[in-house]
């Protein structure tokens, strides 16, 4: 049985870094990464986490375009479950002028529609810089996510200035949903995320 979890959020929120760190905790330090190329073919690679970070992560926007995924057999949680973690293109509030990027964002939403688990990554650093206000995209994702069975908010970049206060605001904003605060760059705060995911997988089988 395969359970799909999709990582989603605004562009440059640290989604790919979160996806890689969580994937390494579940699938090991050599990640079996698959993605679709521009011709629609599946490309397979096995990358160490550090190499994957160098190649797949960037501080600019829209580094990730096509969906990419890692399959992890979590037999220690349940003997018949395989978890697929999907990383997606970042979303923006306005209509992006690049037609191809708009298509990739549409693909992100399609992946969400096929997923049992939503990992909504919120950039705490950007939230702090915007006067401790969530972006329109983040607010919309939270409104829709509340209506799904297994939706979780990941407050990312807790290592940045102002992020702790932004995290407090986020926790108050979403008192009715699971929220975890992490630093994907330094892989801190992931233990409760894995524990939550384990319980979801156990009860989904």
């Amino acid at each position: 049985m395969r359970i799909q979890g999709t990582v989603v959020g605004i562009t440059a929120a640290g989604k790919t870094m979160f996806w890689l760190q969580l994937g390494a905790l579940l699938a090991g330090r050599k990640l079996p990464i698959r993605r679709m190329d521009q011709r629609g073919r599946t490309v397979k690679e096995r990358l160490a986490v550090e190499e994957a970070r160098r190649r797949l992560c960037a501080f600019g926007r829209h580094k990730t375009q096509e969906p990419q995924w890692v399959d992890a057999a979590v037999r220690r949680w349940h003997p018949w479950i395989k978890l697929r973690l999907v990383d997606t293109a970042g979303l923006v509030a306005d209509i992006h002028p690049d037609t191809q990027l708009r298509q990739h964002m549409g693909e992100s939403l399609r992946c969400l529609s096929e997923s049992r688990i939503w990992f909504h990554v919120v950039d705490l650093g950007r939230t702090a810089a915007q006067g401790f206000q969530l972006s329109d995209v983040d607010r919309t994702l939270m409104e829709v996510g509340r209506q799904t069975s297994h939706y979780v908010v990941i407050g990312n970049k807790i290592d940045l200035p102002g992020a702790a206060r932004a995290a407090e605001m986020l926790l108050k904003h979403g008192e009715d949903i699971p929220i975890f605060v992490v630093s994907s760059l330094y892989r801190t705060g992931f233990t409760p995320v894995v524990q939550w995911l384990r319980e979801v997988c156990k009860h989904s089988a």
Side-chain angles (χ1 to χ4, degrees):
M1 175 183 181
R2 190 177 73 197
I3 297 174
Q4 180 166 308
T6 293
V7 180
V8 68
I10 62 175
T11 183
K15 298 181 303 301
T16 299
M17 187 75 77
F18 169 79
W19 169 74
L20 287 174
Q21 299 287 26
L22 183 59
L25 289 169
L26 301 177
R29 299 295 295 178
K30 280 278 192 176
L31 291 171
I33 295 173
R34 301 185 182 192
R35 65 180 185 277
M36 302 296 291
D37 66 13
Q38 294 182 348
R39 298 182 180 180
R41 299 175 300 186
T42 301
V43 178
K44 305 176 184 178
E45 293 183 288
R46 184 171 288 272
L47 300 176
V49 175
E50 291 305 316
E51 182 182 0
R53 284 175 57 173
R54 287 193 298 271
R55 290 176 52 179
L56 303 178
C57 297
F59 291 105
R61 297 187 175 192
H62 296 299
K63 174 67 174 179
T64 301
Q65 297 190 10
E66 293 86 1
Q68 51 193 359
W69 63 93
V70 168
D71 288 330
V74 287
R75 295 187 180 90
R76 61 189 182 278
W77 297 349
H78 195 285
W80 302 319
I81 285 180
K82 178 175 285 189
L83 180 64
R84 172 164 289 182
L85 296 175
V86 183
D87 181 32
T88 60
L91 304 175
V92 297
D94 301 323
I95 298 176
H96 200 282
D98 188 311
T99 302
Q100 191 172 34
L101 275 176
R102 292 202 303 271
Q103 293 174 344
H104 294 322
M105 287 183 235
E107 189 71 10
S108 298
L109 298 177
R110 184 191 66 78
C111 289
L112 271 185
S113 70
E114 298 174 351
S115 296
R116 187 172 301 187
I117 303 168
W118 291 23
F119 296 96
H120 173 194
V121 177
V122 174
D123 184 342
L124 295 176
R126 183 182 297 183
T127 301
Q130 294 177 164
F132 301 96
Q133 297 293 321
L134 288 173
S135 70
D136 291 341
V137 172
D138 285 324
R139 285 198 298 270
T140 300
L141 284 172
M142 289 185 78
E143 290 172 6
V144 177
R146 281 186 167 96
Q147 303 172 37
T148 65
S149 300
H150 303 299
Y151 167 74
V152 61
V153 175
I154 307 297
N156 193 25
K157 305 186 184 180
I158 189 60
D159 50 286
L160 294 181
R165 183 178 168 192
E168 292 177 3
M169 180 277 297
L170 182 63
L171 290 167
K172 291 178 181 177
H173 194 78
E175 293 179 344
D176 57 330
I177 53 179
I179 297 176
F180 302 107
V181 176
V182 307
S183 168
S184 295
L185 180 63
Y186 297 106
R187 205 169 81 176
T188 60
F190 276 74
T191 298
V193 179
V194 173
Q195 291 172 341
W196 176 86
L197 183 57
R198 179 181 60 199
E199 291 306 309
V200 169
C201 289
K202 282 183 176 179
H203 290 93
S204 295

